Amino acid sequence: MIFGSKRVKPLKVQHMSDIEALKREERPILIDFWQQGCQPCRTMDGIVTELAEEFGETAHVVKIDVGRVPEAVGEFAIKSTPTFVVLGRSAKLSKKKRQRGEEPPKGMTQRWRGTGLIRKDALARVLEANGATRKS
């Protein structure tokens, strides 16, 4: 480890407006919805921190305490913790949707969702599939 290097940590979101600001940067966003006293949330905390360090400036890794940001619970329909959501740029439309004349949604949309204990490599693959790259 190089002394003096800045460690990247997950951002702690206090308001939904913080998420809207991050969406404008158009980098993939991994959101960890957690709550106090949740043992699986504590288990996943270290993994989320490692992902924040590994992906650095190519993705936003965010933690939202559902007890402190209740509007996030409604907006993302959180029913249990930990829940992980990845927001990313819209993918290309399927052939059927293009034939029907549908347009891809604009901006950042929910691209993936998972609940419970999730392997680090699975979360990393989802971030990479949405454009994030690991630091060398």
Side-chain angles (χ1 to χ4, degrees):
M1 180 174 162
I2 299 172
F3 292 102
S5 65
K6 185 178 176 184
R7 288 185 75 179
V8 178
K9 293 184 178 180
L11 303 168
K12 293 192 179 357
V13 169
Q14 301 297 324
H15 303 284
M16 285 306 296
S17 60
D18 298 339
I19 293 292
E20 295 306 317
L22 293 175
K23 282 182 178 180
R24 287 190 288 274
E25 293 184 31
E26 301 232 350
R27 285 192 257 164
I29 304 170
L30 169 64
I31 306 173
D32 172 13
F33 294 94
W34 67 283
Q35 66 181 339
Q36 293 288 330
C38 166
Q39 185 57 45
C41 297
R42 289 174 50 191
T43 301
M44 293 302 297
D45 185 53
I47 292 171
V48 171
T49 300
E50 287 176 15
L51 289 169
E53 289 176 21
E54 288 178 20
F55 285 95
E57 299 299 320
T58 66
H60 294 292
V61 179
V62 175
K63 296 182 69 65
I64 297 179
D65 182 346
V66 297
R68 293 181 187 257
V69 190
E71 60 269 18
V73 173
E75 183 167 331
F76 288 95
I78 304 302
K79 295 189 180 2
S80 64
T81 56
T83 294
F84 300 91
V85 172
V86 173
L87 303 176
R89 278 185 246 114
S90 301
K92 295 177 184 175
L93 289 177
S94 68
K95 186 175 179 180
K96 282 185 179 184
K97 289 183 178 183
R98 282 195 311 267
Q99 287 172 344
R100 289 190 297 232
E102 291 185 31
E103 294 287 323
K106 301 273 189 255
M108 304 288 278
T109 59
Q110 183 173 316
R111 306 280 296 131
W112 181 85
R113 180 186 190 103
T115 301
L117 297 174
I118 299 174
R119 293 173 49 126
K120 177 182 171 185
D121 63 328
L123 291 169
R125 275 195 308 270
V126 172
L127 282 171
E128 289 170 340
N130 284 282
T133 56
R134 292 182 193 214
K135 290 194 248 180
S136 301

